[in-house]
Amino acid sequence: MDPARVPAELWLDIFELLVSPADLHSIIQTSRKFHNLAVRALHRHVIWRTPEAVVHNLPLWDASPGMEPFVHTFDLGVSSLPGGISGRIIEANGEVDDHHAYPAIFNNASNIGRLDTTLSYYNLRSKMSFASNDLHEIMFQRIMSFSNLSTLKFHSVIFFDKHFELIHALPQLRSLHLEYCVFQNFSSSRVFNHTTLPITDLTMLNLRRRIIETLDQQHVMLEENIEHALTLALARNLRSLAIDSTADVVKYIYGAWDADVRGWVVPHNLEQLYIYRKETSLEEVQLMLPGESSFPDFTLYSVLGKMPMLTTLSTFHLAPAHNIIMPVLPLLRNYAGPVDSIERLPGRPIQALGLFKCGTGSRDGVGTLANVKLMFPSSRCCRWSSRLGTMRLSMQLRHCFPVSAA
């Protein structure tokens, strides 16, 4: 067939099947027609982690009109600074002002001061540059035009009402990921009804808290209420939720003492719950928040009873022996957790197990694993962590299951 007679839509479908950006770059150089089509495919996944990247990429959208509907995944790590806070500012034309500060708003001095302290404490000013107000506005207008955006990721972003407005303005949004973000003062934030969001997948990890006051290098006063972010977990269409101790929606939203009064309901069709231990990084300042040492606490086991559709549960935490959680999860088929906890899953038609060693000696662990296949005859896959196991445990697993080792 003559390539010239192939419809552009078909070529675009073909190009979107190419995973490697290098392949798309090669296609871009072959002809003007392929250039215009491959550029659209190349920008189905857009990453703007720095203001400099935004300045470099923005002209392409004006030079190639019509690309916006083809963007499906967007990763944003760019913030602006409110008045009264100085930082390295990148202008819309690419010019740099290393110590710029917009005029402060007098009636917002307390909030500005706390945000300034927060940026200093987390060393964000030394690691990041910020978009000027003009660049930030242009950037948001462009993002708003990505009408078919299905996945949105925020990393190290200073959240304001504008970010929540963006989330609510994307009708095709299904997956939302927040990590290392700082949020504006709760009392200054607008109230958003997150239950109406179309998202089905939500991940919130390493959420930062604003610093009220630095007492010394190790002791600070924190502003703990980030309810306006945690209530994203109330989206009624939510199917999958991943959290760590910095985003304990189980305790502060689903299990809040006034949840019923406030209409905070666990999404009925929630199928997957992933509870992670907070990861530490040498490159990031991470505080121990109040209550983190006991995460997840007993609230989890009462809230699980409100998740009748749950099919997948992953947690690093060893459930207490007296809990009555598992009998209330009739559809549970996939489980990941400490080896010891599988004895609390009696009679379950578990199809996939993820195991790691916790709480008992090696000999006890071997005895537990020896019974895994007997306990779960329908299980087809077992994944375990070799870092927390032993060679003897490995052999036991390999005799029982088609095992994959982490």
Side-chain angles (χ1 to χ4, degrees):
M1 178 182 292
D2 182 1
R5 301 179 62 182
V6 177
E9 292 78 8
L10 183 56
W11 281 121
L12 191 58
D13 289 340
I14 294 172
F15 294 158
E16 288 194 350
L17 294 175
L18 297 177
V19 177
S20 171
D23 292 339
L24 287 169
H25 277 294
S26 297
I27 292 173
I28 285 173
Q29 300 173 31
T30 58
S31 70
R32 181 178 295 275
K33 177 181 179 179
F34 280 3
H35 174 277
N36 294 335
L37 294 174
V39 162
R40 296 183 181 184
L42 186 63
H43 281 77
R44 61 195 165 191
H45 309 300
V46 179
I47 300 175
W48 287 350
R49 283 290 183 93
T50 66
E52 292 87 347
V54 177
V55 171
H56 176 76
N57 190 246
L58 278 176
L60 179 65
W61 300 89
D62 293 328
S64 306
M67 290 200 306
E68 291 84 356
F70 297 96
V71 180
H72 297 297
T73 301
F74 188 78
D75 188 332
L76 181 65
V78 180
S79 300
S80 64
L81 291 175
I85 299 180
S86 63
R88 187 172 188 268
I89 301 297
I90 308 300
E91 300 289 347
N93 60 5
E95 292 183 359
V96 179
D97 189 337
D98 284 320
H99 301 286
H100 183 85
Y102 293 101
I105 302 175
F106 179 74
N107 61 5
N108 203 27
S110 176
N111 286 331
I112 296 302
R114 291 181 181 182
L115 182 56
D116 190 45
T117 302
T118 300
L119 295 178
S120 298
Y121 185 84
Y122 289 120
N123 298 324
L124 296 182
R125 241 190 298 262
S126 62
K127 295 189 297 183
M128 298 172 58
S129 52
F130 301 87
S132 68
N133 289 345
D134 288 342
L135 177 58
H136 201 256
E137 184 62 31
I138 295 171
M139 179 185 75
F140 259 76
Q141 289 178 2
R142 182 62 65 184
I143 300 172
M144 288 284 193
S145 68
F146 300 155
S147 56
N148 291 322
L149 197 64
S150 61
T151 299
L152 179 58
K153 300 178 181 180
F154 293 98
H155 189 281
S156 298
V157 168
I158 303 173
F159 250 75
F160 293 98
D161 286 342
K162 177 176 289 190
H163 296 85
F164 290 114
E165 291 171 1
L166 171 63
I167 293 170
H168 281 262
L170 299 170
Q172 303 301 321
L173 187 63
R174 296 297 180 267
S175 179
L176 180 62
H177 185 117
L178 284 70
E179 189 165 9
Y180 290 111
C181 293
V182 178
F183 300 88
Q184 75 178 88
N185 179 272
F186 171 73
S187 62
S188 302
S189 177
R190 278 180 48 201
V191 176
F192 291 87
N193 181 12
H194 296 322
T195 63
T196 62
L197 287 173
I199 59 173
T200 58
D201 179 274
L202 175 63
T203 298
M204 294 190 290
L205 303 172
N206 285 298
L207 302 187
R208 300 190 189 279
R209 300 300 191 273
R210 295 201 320 163
I211 307 299
I212 298 175
E213 184 180 355
T214 301
L215 306 179
D216 56 50
Q217 192 61 29
Q218 300 297 325
H219 300 87
V220 297
M221 291 179 61
L222 299 176
E223 186 172 276
E224 298 180 48
N225 191 348
I226 57 169
E227 175 185 303
H228 43 322
L230 298 185
T231 48
L232 287 166
L234 295 174
R236 63 170 63 105
N237 291 325
L238 203 63
R239 299 291 190 276
S240 177
L241 174 64
I243 59 171
D244 65 7
S245 55
T246 69
D248 192 355
V249 302
V250 172
K251 179 178 181 179
Y252 295 110
I253 303 299
Y254 297 156
W257 67 272
D258 58 347
D260 292 338
V261 176
R262 303 180 73 170
W264 288 355
V265 179
V266 178
H268 177 73
N269 293 316
L270 188 64
E271 299 173 352
Q272 301 174 2
L273 178 61
Y274 301 92
I275 299 176
Y276 296 129
R277 189 189 302 274
K278 183 173 72 174
E279 293 188 1
T280 57
S281 170
L282 295 177
E283 298 179 356
E284 298 288 349
V285 177
Q286 292 168 292
L287 292 167
M288 176 61 73
L289 305 178
E292 273 195 291
S293 60
S294 60
F295 171 83
D297 67 10
F298 65 89
T299 309
L300 170 65
Y301 308 116
S302 61
V303 170
L304 282 174
K306 303 176 182 179
M307 301 179 181
M309 307 302 291
L310 204 68
T311 62
T312 300
L313 174 61
S314 175
T315 176
F316 66 89
H317 184 258
L318 181 62
H322 62 272
N323 83 81
I324 57 171
I325 312 161
M326 302 313 171
V328 302
L329 298 177
L331 301 182
L332 189 66
R333 298 295 181 268
N334 311 301
Y335 176 76
V339 168
D340 309 64
S341 62
I342 63 173
E343 294 182 345
R344 297 162 198 178
L345 296 168
R348 290 287 182 179
I350 300 296
Q351 297 176 357
L353 277 170
L355 305 174
F356 60 86
K357 194 69 183 68
C358 177
T360 64
S362 176
R363 182 172 300 176
D364 295 332
V366 169
T368 300
L369 289 172
N371 294 322
V372 168
K373 188 61 178 177
L374 294 176
M375 295 171 64
F376 308 107
S378 61
S379 182
R380 289 175 281 180
C381 176
C382 182
R383 182 175 179 84
W384 70 291
S385 174
S386 58
R387 290 173 298 175
L388 299 173
T390 66
M391 181 60 68
R392 191 175 173 194
L393 298 182
S394 172
M395 294 305 294
Q396 283 286 349
L397 279 168
R398 290 183 184 279
H399 279 301
C400 295
F401 298 97
V403 176
S404 60

